[in-house]
Amino acid sequence: MEAVNGVIRQRLHSEVALVNQIAEYIISAGGKRIRPVLVLLVANAYDYRGTAHHELAAVVEFIHTATLLHDDVVDESSLRRGRATANALFGNAASVLVGDFLYSRSFQMMVSLNNMRVMQILSDATNVIAEGEVLQLLNMHDPDVSEDSYLNVIRSKTAKLFEAAAELGALVAGANDEEIAAAGEYGRSLGTAFQLIDDVLDYAGDASEIGKNVGDDLREGKPTLPLIYLMEHGTEEQRQLVRSCIETGDEQHFDTILAAITTSGALDYTRRAAEVAAQRALDAIASMPGSRYKDSLLQLARFAVERSH
């Protein structure tokens, strides 16, 4: 990761001071860096000995950071990773444009690796992620979103970059097509588990620990799985209240909805769905050769559902 951070610092440089300032601000906020870690762990699990995985890990982190910059503008978020969002500090226009810079810089980097399969994986991933963002936008303030439709958004918006990161790690290490596909399934399932637990933490987390405001999803009118479950299994009164709050983004009934979500079993249901996804991830790499890197991948899948931040 030190080597990856070195690549990130080097590749962030721009002659435009504001690009440097905003990119440095959001990258230095840290975060779990799960996606670049996936590239490294999978590559090492297949005994990779080069340095191209450092470049690919940085590319994945740049793409992820670009999506965060754009997401926070779309969602009008003010807090991420315990700090003010870039759009809150520098304005929406600057955040969107620096997100564009990070996207285009990531494509410059992947071209420099001169590997058509790498470009295919990453260009497909960025396209699917963009579709997922638009799907989520269409779902905003729509109380009739189904569980299947919501899970499709997760697969596109969140899990796709996890999938690409794992595939890239296997690809750069010279793994065969079956192993690359298995790594992709691991990443896709891990990303799904992560997002579902994020959905739980939005109602059951601690703002100081999760680094964002609790209840943001409801405030933004996002029908996530706990709300979808409550509308299907709650009382008529609860169902109408949730519908109204999703449609209007009204947070004044947050405590009432939180109590209903907790007592209805919605959080337990969402957590179980995350556990199923994490088990799929574990199963996907069952035939991967044993190593401390594989052990870390197994541990990461467990962490995805056990974490509190």
Side-chain angles (χ1 to χ4, degrees):
M1 282 308 295
E2 284 182 18
V4 172
N5 286 334
V7 173
I8 287 172
R9 293 272 176 267
Q10 178 191 355
R11 296 293 197 164
L12 267 181
H13 179 70
S14 165
E15 297 303 319
V16 180
L18 185 60
V19 170
N20 288 332
Q21 190 179 1
I22 296 177
E24 173 68 27
Y25 177 78
I26 190 158
I27 290 284
S28 67
K32 303 178 193 71
R33 297 270 169 93
I34 299 293
R35 295 156 190 82
V37 163
L38 266 184
V39 178
L40 303 184
L41 286 177
V42 174
N44 284 319
Y46 285 110
D47 209 25
Y48 181 61
R49 287 288 179 263
T51 58
H53 61 331
H54 298 153
E55 197 86 4
L56 286 171
V59 168
V60 167
E61 185 65 5
F62 279 5
I63 291 172
H64 175 55
T65 304
T67 65
L68 298 187
L69 282 164
H70 290 168
D71 271 2
D72 286 342
V73 171
V74 171
D75 295 340
E76 300 178 8
S77 299
S78 60
L79 192 68
R80 181 180 289 279
R81 295 170 178 169
R83 303 198 308 175
T85 53
N87 50 297
L89 277 182
F90 303 100
N92 287 343
S95 292
V96 169
L97 293 173
V98 172
D100 292 344
F101 166 82
L102 288 172
Y103 266 131
S104 53
R105 178 54 52 87
S106 70
F107 275 83
Q108 287 179 320
M109 292 165 68
M110 68 179 88
V111 167
S112 71
L113 292 168
N114 198 28
N115 185 318
M116 187 58 72
R117 185 87 182 270
V118 165
M119 287 190 279
Q120 181 187 3
I121 289 171
L122 284 167
S123 58
D124 285 351
T126 51
N127 194 250
V128 169
I129 291 165
E131 287 181 331
E133 298 283 5
V134 176
L135 269 177
Q136 179 171 272
L137 187 65
L138 291 173
N139 288 350
M140 297 272 262
H141 302 294
D142 180 1
D144 295 316
V145 173
S146 68
E147 181 172 333
D148 284 346
S149 176
Y150 176 64
L151 291 175
N152 188 38
V153 170
I154 287 180
R155 280 191 290 272
S156 301
K157 183 177 176 292
T158 303
K160 188 62 181 179
L161 194 54
F162 279 78
E163 176 186 341
E167 286 179 338
L168 291 170
L171 175 66
V172 77
N176 62 40
D177 286 348
E178 189 177 331
E179 290 166 334
I180 292 170
E185 175 59 43
Y186 170 88
R188 184 166 56 251
S189 299
L190 179 73
T192 300
F194 253 92
Q195 183 58 57
L196 289 170
I197 293 299
D198 274 354
D199 292 351
V200 170
L201 294 177
D202 194 65
Y203 292 96
D206 181 311
S208 63
E209 201 168 352
I210 64 175
K212 65 170 193 168
N213 297 312
V214 172
D216 268 355
D217 289 343
L218 184 64
R219 195 173 301 115
E220 293 159 11
K222 288 182 185 173
T224 57
L225 192 53
L227 290 178
I228 292 168
Y229 179 91
L230 180 58
M231 279 191 288
E232 287 182 0
H233 299 276
T235 65
E236 183 59 29
E237 184 183 358
Q238 290 169 340
R239 190 176 298 116
Q240 291 306 321
L241 180 60
V242 171
R243 287 186 68 88
S244 171
C245 288
I246 288 174
E247 287 172 343
T248 62
D250 180 7
E251 60 179 316
Q252 66 175 338
H253 299 293
F254 177 74
D255 288 342
T256 305
I257 289 175
L258 177 59
I261 282 175
T262 305
T263 56
S264 70
L267 296 182
D268 292 335
Y269 178 80
T270 306
R271 194 176 289 278
R272 283 196 301 275
E275 288 167 354
V276 169
Q279 187 59 52
R280 277 201 313 271
L282 295 172
D283 293 343
I285 58 169
S287 60
M288 180 183 278
S291 67
R292 62 195 179 103
Y293 304 107
K294 178 182 179 179
D295 290 344
S296 291
L297 289 167
L298 296 173
Q299 189 178 345
L300 188 55
R302 297 185 192 102
F303 167 75
V305 292
E306 293 168 358
R307 65 197 174 93
S308 59
H309 62 282

